[in-house]
Amino acid sequence: MAKSTDLTLVRNIGIMAHIDAGKTTTTERILFYTGKIHKIGEVHEGTATMDWMAQEQERGITITSAATTCFWNEHCINIIDTPGHVDFTVEVERSLRVLDGAIAVFDGVAGVEPQSETVWRQADKYKVPRLAFVNKLDRVGAVFENTLESMKERLAANPVAFQIPIGSEDAFVGMVDLITMKAYVWESDETGAAFNVVEVPEEVQDDAELAREQLVELVAEQDDGLMEKFLEGEEISEDELKRAARQATIDMKIVPVFCGSAFKNKGIQPLLNAINDYLPSPLDLPAVKGYSADEEEASLTRKRTEDEPLSMLAFKIQNDPYVGHLAYARLYSGVLKAGETVLNTRLGKRERVSKILMMEANQRTEVNQVGAGHIVALAGLKMVATGDTLCDAKHPIRLESLDVPETVISIAIEPKSTADSDKMLKALDRLEKEDPTFKVKYDSETGQTLISGMGELHLDIITDRLLREFRVAANVGQPQVSYRETISKQVSKSKVFERETEKLRQYAGVGISVEPAEKGQGFVFENKLGKADGFTDEFLRATQAGLEESMQVGVLAGFPVIDVKVTLKDVKVDREVSDASAFKIVSSQALREALQDAQAMLLEPVMDLEILVPEESLSNVMTDLNSRRARVNNVGMKGHLQKVDAIAPLSEMFGYTTGLRSISQGRATYSMTFSSYEQVPNAVFDRVTKGIY
């Protein structure tokens, strides 16, 4: 890749949506029309380019985010196709962290669905400008306007129709471009490569003129110069409208909405034009902020150009059967050359990049160098983990990492034979490095290996990969809920640690205050000590490490402790014999004793449920939810179905897919997302603390 890549022509985009809205099908058409592939693969046939894992092809869902590069009208488009299933939400999170723009795909029948809301909020969090594509308009019950309304209601978005459909359901043949006031009409060509650009058909002329008026008004509202023209009744040119719409999209003031049917090959070429016209290049976005080694405030910046020192974020680790350990990275600034040494700021260590690869799903092309603004895979890095910053050693910077959600479900796993034991440990280690939401823990009391993840499907995929990809024969236990512990009152505790052996004498003392923290804060540490004679920064770090270590094992049933604030108020130091190890031990002991006195509580993960069910099965569903300790918050209509919003403990939801199918004759569907941790009832407390799950 040449160093002189014109960054104004680069687009780094993701395609995101609820499961089954048509993300991968849309991506497949984009690859076909840009000439990246010469035959359209289908998700339902297991031949989609971006769904390359065996598990994806069998289930017809996207599990891992795949990256590819294609070209359209001289623009280089780097695309990441992300999963829609809630169990793989971190795949979306880490992709959005490094993208400049996104396409949100919505089902034209269902509109905004629960996982659409989740990924939308994630995109808001990382300030990712986006376009919307209303898909499946050829299906019975598809209504373009309803999706726009649900975007306003459920996403608090400002959607602006840039197209309106021509025809509906079986009669859907194309769309009107409201900027140019031309119609795109597809006829008999099965691949969708050929279409006609014609005058707006008479039957949609009035609707198109009204929609264009709304478009001009909504775009003009975001630009003072255009607003003046609009109010004075002056003509606004196409170029002026496009320029203002592009800026409003980048500023996240509007969401341009397009329409089509990816499966029927309609609407993809205009969508590609929109990616070039409205989504930002790396240069359209502000300089990236970062931290120096010892700072908590982000005070460093890097302009997104090749002239700045090198900085990039490793957002995904993958084990490739041919290349080995691969790190997907987004270059924010500078130029990276193959064979170059980079600094990992998390570890403070240098590593050599042996190869730079441009990825095309699971295919790859090797390049000698790559500049700012691109997404590549790097081979040769041994110590890198998800969220690490890699940069020029002479100009260190630490970019903001990723927020990784807590695991909510665990299962015990054991090798079937001694020969499988080493293979299993190596395979689990590789999988843990790939997936930050997958955790492996060895329970010394029971001798079991526990694997934890985001849901039943997540762990099902992991165990399936162990068997097929790594050829590990293993016995898998029943799912177990990842409970948590917390406290309900404030306690102060002082503790002194003294130990003397033949070779060593150690001494340290701490005084701490422990109190409940706000929900969702995890562990909060505050140092109110001020300057203490002899208490070094090394001792402070060791004290904090001891506290954090103690939070990993609660006093009720050994589950991790969350939402606790610890304040360090006093220390005892002996300059002769105090060391970091002693402060780590004493702080851990002090916190453990404090937790025992602070009225510890057991918490369980609680899930948000949205169930769509026909009227005749509603009572069965409600009865079943009551039996699962669920709280129903709302029942209303969504289309022709009843929509039930409820909250239920995860422990009661195992096997719910099968149960729901049985009580609704297979007609009800549901989605489930993690909500929060709540205190368990007494019966569950007694069962869990006795080790009965």
Side-chain angles (χ1 to χ4, degrees):
M1 178 166 297
K3 184 181 174 181
S4 59
T5 305
D6 184 352
L7 285 182
T8 62
L9 301 179
V10 173
R11 301 288 180 271
N12 292 310
I13 66 162
I15 300 188
M16 59 186 208
H18 187 88
I19 191 168
D20 281 343
K23 294 176 310 303
T24 302
T25 305
T26 302
T27 310
E28 196 71 13
R29 271 54 180 180
I30 286 174
L31 298 182
F32 178 73
Y33 298 129
T34 56
K36 181 57 78 175
I37 57 174
H38 301 289
K39 179 181 183 295
I40 296 175
E42 300 296 359
V43 175
H44 61 276
E45 293 171 1
T47 56
T49 308
M50 303 295 265
D51 283 353
W52 55 270
M53 288 173 66
Q55 293 83 359
E56 294 177 312
Q57 292 166 358
E58 288 171 2
R59 290 169 168 82
I61 62 169
T62 302
I63 292 165
T64 182
S65 48
T68 193
T69 302
C70 59
F71 293 85
W72 182 254
N73 292 346
E74 299 181 351
H75 286 67
C76 170
I77 305 174
N78 296 314
I79 302 174
I80 296 183
D81 175 31
T82 61
H85 197 284
V86 66
D87 282 15
F88 308 103
T89 188
V90 79
E91 285 286 341
V92 185
E93 177 103 7
R94 61 183 172 184
S95 299
L96 287 170
R97 168 67 183 82
V98 298
L99 292 172
D100 300 332
I103 299 171
V105 180
F106 297 102
D107 184 322
V109 179
V112 176
E113 298 173 270
Q115 189 62 8
S116 313
E117 291 188 61
T118 304
V119 295
W120 194 270
R121 306 281 174 246
Q122 287 172 315
D124 282 343
K125 173 178 163 186
Y126 291 115
K127 298 182 172 57
V128 179
R130 66 217 82 145
L131 310 178
F133 180 63
V134 182
N135 191 24
K136 302 190 179 185
L137 287 177
D138 59 304
R139 288 182 57 203
V140 175
V143 182
F144 178 69
E145 293 77 13
N146 288 358
T147 302
L148 266 71
E149 283 305 312
S150 66
M151 285 177 70
K152 289 176 190 171
E153 287 172 20
R154 299 189 65 167
L155 305 176
N158 185 17
V160 180
F162 275 52
Q163 297 174 340
I164 61 165
I166 302 171
S168 61
E169 301 179 350
D170 288 347
F172 173 67
V173 294
M175 64 285 303
V176 176
D177 182 327
L178 298 176
I179 297 276
T180 62
M181 285 303 276
K182 295 289 183 184
Y184 293 82
V185 177
W186 279 260
E187 291 177 354
S188 58
D189 179 26
E190 284 186 13
T191 67
F195 56 90
N196 298 315
V197 181
V198 299
E199 295 303 316
V200 178
E202 201 174 313
E203 66 269 21
V204 292
Q205 185 76 44
D206 291 346
D207 290 342
E209 284 175 3
L210 180 62
R212 189 178 199 278
E213 209 172 294
Q214 290 174 336
L215 163 64
V216 173
E217 184 176 354
L218 287 166
V219 171
E221 279 178 6
Q222 314 304 329
D223 184 292
D224 292 342
L226 281 196
M227 196 62 199
E228 201 173 309
K229 270 190 159 187
F230 178 75
L231 292 172
E232 290 175 5
E234 290 181 39
E235 187 66 32
I236 296 173
S237 70
E238 285 179 22
D239 286 345
E240 287 177 313
L241 206 50
K242 273 190 175 182
R243 177 187 52 75
R246 175 182 176 76
Q247 195 55 53
T249 305
I250 292 170
D251 294 341
M252 294 177 60
K253 292 176 179 174
I254 66 168
V255 179
V257 183
F258 300 84
C259 60
S261 167
F263 183 59
K264 294 292 177 66
N265 310 312
K266 294 180 175 74
I268 302 301
Q269 295 93 330
L271 182 63
L272 278 162
N273 292 336
I275 292 168
N276 293 349
D277 289 342
Y278 304 113
L279 288 180
S281 77
L283 297 179
D284 289 316
L285 298 170
V288 65
K289 292 183 179 179
Y291 306 82
S292 62
D294 54 355
E295 281 185 327
E296 292 186 7
E297 293 293 322
S299 62
L300 301 178
T301 58
R302 292 281 185 274
K303 290 177 186 170
R304 299 170 184 250
T305 64
E306 296 178 353
D307 303 327
E308 290 272 293
L310 175 69
S311 70
M312 53 186 172
L313 187 82
F315 66 96
K316 179 179 167 71
I317 306 301
Q318 183 179 312
N319 281 290
D320 186 282
Y322 304 104
V323 186
H325 203 58
L326 278 182
Y328 282 79
R330 162 68 194 269
L331 269 81
Y332 285 101
S333 61
V335 175
L336 176 68
K337 294 177 181 176
E340 199 170 355
T341 299
V342 295
L343 174 69
N344 182 327
T345 49
R346 176 179 63 89
L347 300 171
K349 294 183 178 177
R350 302 183 188 203
E351 289 198 78
R352 184 175 171 273
V353 177
S354 60
K355 289 180 183 176
I356 304 170
L357 305 168
M358 301 298 291
M359 297 302 292
E360 297 160 23
N362 65 334
Q363 305 298 311
R364 63 202 66 77
T365 305
E366 193 171 338
V367 294
N368 293 324
Q369 71 175 46
V370 66
H374 287 283
I375 293 171
V376 290
L378 309 176
L381 302 172
K382 299 288 188 288
M383 297 176 283
V384 68
T386 298
D388 282 356
T389 301
L390 304 169
C391 64
D392 181 344
K394 293 177 184 172
H395 302 89
I397 186 171
R398 178 171 54 85
L399 305 176
E400 186 183 343
S401 190
L402 295 164
D403 290 332
V404 178
E406 290 278 338
T407 58
V408 295
I409 182 173
S410 303
I411 54 174
I413 187 167
E414 60 181 30
K416 284 190 175 177
S417 67
T418 311
D420 284 308
S421 183
D422 281 348
K423 276 167 68 179
M424 187 181 88
L425 291 175
K426 284 178 184 172
L428 290 175
D429 181 56
R430 282 174 65 178
L431 290 167
E432 193 172 22
K433 282 177 180 168
E434 276 187 27
D435 183 352
T437 59
F438 173 63
K439 303 292 180 194
V440 181
K441 180 185 170 190
Y442 182 72
D443 189 328
S444 54
E445 288 184 17
T446 62
Q448 284 184 317
T449 300
L450 293 173
I451 59 174
S452 306
M454 302 305 297
E456 285 183 275
L457 178 62
H458 187 196
L459 294 184
D460 184 32
I461 297 293
I462 292 283
T463 51
D464 195 27
R465 286 185 67 189
L466 274 177
L467 179 65
R468 286 206 260 183
E469 202 174 310
F470 298 98
R471 309 219 177 278
V472 174
N475 295 315
V476 180
Q478 291 299 309
Q480 298 174 6
V481 172
S482 294
Y483 293 95
R484 293 288 183 269
E485 297 182 23
T486 193
I487 58 172
S488 57
K489 76 169 189 176
Q490 183 174 355
V491 168
S492 293
K493 184 66 64 176
S494 294
K495 184 78 178 173
V496 172
F497 171 75
E498 284 186 276
R499 180 164 62 186
E500 191 169 350
T501 63
E502 289 179 13
K503 296 180 181 179
L504 181 70
R505 182 169 165 240
Q506 290 175 289
Y507 176 86
V510 294
I512 60 171
S513 168
V514 178
E515 61 188 297
E518 283 184 33
K519 208 171 187 180
Q521 285 200 310
F523 170 64
V524 181
F525 175 68
E526 187 176 354
N527 178 13
K528 281 203 173 172
L529 200 58
K531 288 283 184 185
D533 191 34
F535 189 67
T536 65
D537 287 345
E538 184 191 8
F539 292 173
L540 177 62
R541 286 194 295 272
T543 300
Q544 189 169 347
L547 295 170
E548 287 175 355
E549 198 173 275
S550 212
M551 292 278 290
Q552 298 308 307
V553 183
V555 295
L556 292 174
F559 293 105
V561 181
I562 60 170
D563 301 340
V564 169
K565 180 181 178 181
V566 181
T567 305
L568 181 63
K569 293 187 168 180
D570 184 32
V571 291
K572 288 184 169 60
V573 184
D574 183 325
R575 285 177 176 275
E576 298 293 322
V577 294
S578 289
D579 61 10
S581 171
F583 274 104
K584 186 176 179 183
I585 292 167
V586 75
S587 60
S588 179
Q589 290 176 343
L591 180 55
R592 188 147 192 87
E593 289 182 15
L595 292 175
Q596 286 171 335
D597 295 342
Q599 291 182 356
M601 299 188 300
L602 189 65
L603 307 175
E604 64 181 344
V606 173
M607 315 300 282
D608 281 326
L609 281 173
E610 184 180 282
I611 306 160
L612 295 175
V613 57
E615 175 81 46
E616 55 269 29
S617 301
L618 181 62
S619 61
N620 290 344
V621 168
M622 300 294 274
T623 303
D624 182 63
L625 286 174
N626 286 335
S627 72
R628 295 176 185 269
R629 290 198 284 126
R631 301 195 304 272
V632 175
N633 294 330
N634 188 50
V635 180
M637 292 296 292
K638 184 174 182 180
H640 60 286
L641 296 171
Q642 294 281 346
K643 180 170 79 79
V644 180
D645 292 315
I647 290 177
L650 176 63
S651 60
E652 303 289 344
M653 298 307 294
F654 293 140
Y656 188 59
T657 303
T658 308
L660 183 63
R661 197 177 293 138
S662 168
I663 59 177
S664 67
Q665 288 77 50
R667 295 175 63 197
T669 58
Y670 81 102
S671 63
M672 183 166 69
T673 54
F674 173 73
S675 173
S676 62
Y677 282 94
E678 291 186 5
Q679 188 172 359
V680 301
N682 291 336
V684 176
F685 178 88
D686 292 342
R687 197 173 72 235
V688 173
T689 50
K690 288 173 184 171
I692 305 165
Y693 295 101

